[in-house]
Amino acid sequence: MSRLVVISNRVAVPKARGAAGAQGGLAGALHAALRKYSGIWFGWSGAECTEFTGDISIRRADGVTTATVDLPSQDIEEYYNGYANSTLWPLFHYRIDLTEFEREFGKGYERVNERFAASIAPLIEEDDLVWVHDYHLIPMAGDLRRRGIRNRIGFFLHIPWPPTRLFVSLPFHERLVRTMLDYDLIGFQTDEWLESFLHYCRKELGAEVDDDTGRIVIDGRTVTARAYPIGIDYDHFMAQGETEDARQAQERLTSSTRHRTAMIGVDRLDYSKGLPERMDSIGRFFDTHPDLVKRLVYIQIAPPSREDIENYQKIRTLLEQKTGQINGARSEVDLVPIRYVNKGYSAAELFGFYRASKIGLVTPLRDGMNLVAKEYVAAQDPDDPGVLVLSRFAGAAQQLTEALLVNPFSPDDVAHAIRVAMEMPLDERKRRWQALNHTVREENVIVWTEQFTHDLADFQPV
Ligand code: F6P
């Protein structure tokens, strides 16, 4: 079997750290993929250096070999905080109002992609499959090809691909997409993002597109684009549920919420997750059901993210205000309706918290997939499962159709779903959960990895 060379911005966090959802889906998923295949995982160390040297630090931990480089502050600013997270991230999440178009960001982005390619190219062997991940590294294939890499190279986008009408607001959009033609296989989370991409290629680039096979022919090159919905590392997560940490976490939440329904949300503190809107919905629920204030407690776990970026600082302030307002208006000396926690937890602890919660509230305004929804389902007690309330704008909603699907922009809609979830009879909860759990268990991250790498290995240029 070929070795797998994975290239992503963020490289493995040690196993003991959080679940896929809490950390962002990518790290957990790739860790699972690389535990299964031999190979290397290359990317940024997360550390800052004074000048870029390209020196690679190789580590082997937890069955996975990682190769990382440090980046100087200008690269971090222009590539990571800049183009990746202040231009592409908001635009790809349909937030053109938050998107920053700075030429220096684009230059920094291209520079770091070239630097990554120069560092990893000498480590790539003839039969390796190369798999590049996410919006930070879209031009990577071209940079590798220019360095003589002839291997099969695949790309997977973990976030949405926006509709053409939004995407064309990106200066040099065509230049960015043309760099993708050097990949052999491009994967998206859902059919919706795939359709947007194919539409762009046909309309803006004049490419020949076969909607059934996802084959795109342009300038004599053939690229295939398909949907591969990512899953969780199901067996690994379930094993976490067997630990003492999970049991204690469940007990901790159950004993502190006794006689009240615990409802949980776990999200990186990101504006795409719809957290202020969620607080408005919970506020609406309390306003319209004053009799139920004493019966519901909401636990929001929100580890801070990308804190150097102003829009992330703003969302945190806004969320603190909204949570404070609801709690100020509704608390009693012995009752606080919302528990707001700014830190991450391990996978085992999250398993316990999910299991103790009768409602899982996952309401992003836009999300490539959302693995918290899948972890919440996996952690439920089959004899007394909780109810998943899920945004119809999360990629996961395409698969998890037995959840209560909501419009996260509508406080009335979400408040209504919370009420329905609180009152849902056991047989309906079981019926819905069995269908959801089947999907989460079967369409897991191992299957995702196998399907993508199988298709990449099979790829025949036309
Ligand atoms: O899912 C998108 C993503 O950027 C992943 O690449 C990453 O795991 C997660 O969000 C967390 O973001 P960051 O790496 O910027 O902390």
Side-chain angles (χ1 to χ4, degrees), residues 131-429:
W131 193 5
V132 180
H133 290 263
D134 233 357
Y135 58 102
H136 315 83
L137 303 175
I138 293 174
M140 179 58 62
D143 293 327
L144 290 173
R145 298 276 185 232
R146 276 191 289 283
R147 284 179 169 74
I149 302 296
R150 295 283 157 262
N151 303 51
R152 309 244 157 94
I153 311 182
F155 176 76
F156 187 80
L157 184 69
H158 290 254
I159 66 175
W161 184 275
T164 302
R165 282 185 187 149
L166 276 181
F167 185 64
V168 292
S169 60
L170 180 72
F172 307 111
H173 52 86
E174 186 170 337
R175 176 179 164 124
L176 187 72
V177 178
R178 282 191 182 271
T179 65
M180 295 170 79
L181 303 175
D182 280 314
Y183 289 104
D184 296 307
L185 178 64
I186 300 175
F188 295 92
Q189 299 273 25
T190 68
D191 285 337
E192 192 178 339
W193 322 137
L194 171 65
E195 278 162 23
S196 297
F197 180 73
L198 295 180
H199 179 266
Y200 176 88
C201 291
R202 182 183 284 123
K203 185 152 186 296
E204 295 290 324
L205 305 185
E208 204 182 293
V209 175
D210 181 339
D211 289 309
D212 295 333
T213 60
R215 190 156 281 204
I216 305 162
V217 182
I218 179 171
D219 296 342
R221 273 281 304 153
T222 301
V223 194
T224 299
R226 286 190 190 141
Y228 299 87
I230 201 169
I232 62 168
D233 190 355
Y234 188 84
D235 291 341
H236 183 252
F237 189 57
M238 295 310 282
Q240 296 297 309
E242 299 292 318
T243 61
E244 184 55 22
D245 279 359
R247 202 198 53 74
Q248 278 180 13
Q250 183 182 348
E251 169 57 23
R252 201 171 149 198
L253 197 55
T254 306
S255 61
S256 71
T257 54
R258 215 167 277 289
H259 309 307
R260 299 169 74 193
T261 299
M263 176 166 78
I264 194 165
V266 178
D267 311 79
R268 273 187 316 103
L269 226 167
D270 191 299
Y271 46 81
S272 65
K273 303 294 180 187
L275 296 172
E277 293 78 2
R278 193 181 302 171
M279 291 306 163
D280 289 343
S281 300
I282 293 169
R284 179 70 53 91
F285 174 82
F286 287 140
D287 288 345
T288 48
H289 303 92
D291 51 316
L292 295 181
V293 175
K294 289 196 173 119
R295 279 190 43 209
L296 183 74
V297 58
Y298 179 58
I299 299 104
Q300 176 64 59
I301 296 175
S305 179
R306 304 174 190 163
E307 291 176 274
D308 293 333
I309 300 174
E310 200 186 341
N311 281 326
Y312 284 78
Q313 294 156 7
K314 283 191 188 154
I315 199 81
R316 184 169 180 171
T317 308
L318 184 60
L319 187 58
E320 280 161 7
Q321 279 167 0
K322 289 195 182 268
T323 310
Q325 276 159 4
I326 296 175
N327 276 343
R330 297 286 176 193
S331 291
E332 300 287 342
V333 289
D334 56 352
L335 178 143
V336 180
I338 299 178
R339 298 180 190 173
Y340 171 58
V341 185
N342 268 152
K343 65 176 201 177
Y345 287 92
S346 71
E349 288 170 308
L350 286 177
F351 188 105
F353 295 151
Y354 291 140
R355 190 143 177 144
S357 302
K358 286 296 150 214
I359 305 174
L361 194 55
V362 184
T363 57
L365 305 181
R366 195 66 57 177
D367 210 333
M369 174 50 65
N370 198 292
L371 295 182
V372 167
K374 295 186 174 181
E375 287 173 352
Y376 175 78
V377 168
Q380 294 310 297
D381 176 355
D383 295 326
D384 186 17
V387 179
L388 175 65
V389 177
L390 177 63
S391 164
R392 54 172 297 182
F393 303 124
Q398 311 273 318
Q399 291 169 293
L400 304 183
T401 49
E402 297 293 330
L404 292 180
L405 296 182
V406 293
N407 175 355
F409 295 96
S410 162
D412 288 326
D413 196 24
V414 178
H416 176 71
I418 294 172
R419 168 101 207 214
V420 171
M422 281 182 85
E423 292 174 349
M424 191 178 287
L426 179 62
D427 55 348
E428 184 177 350
R429 280 190 279 132

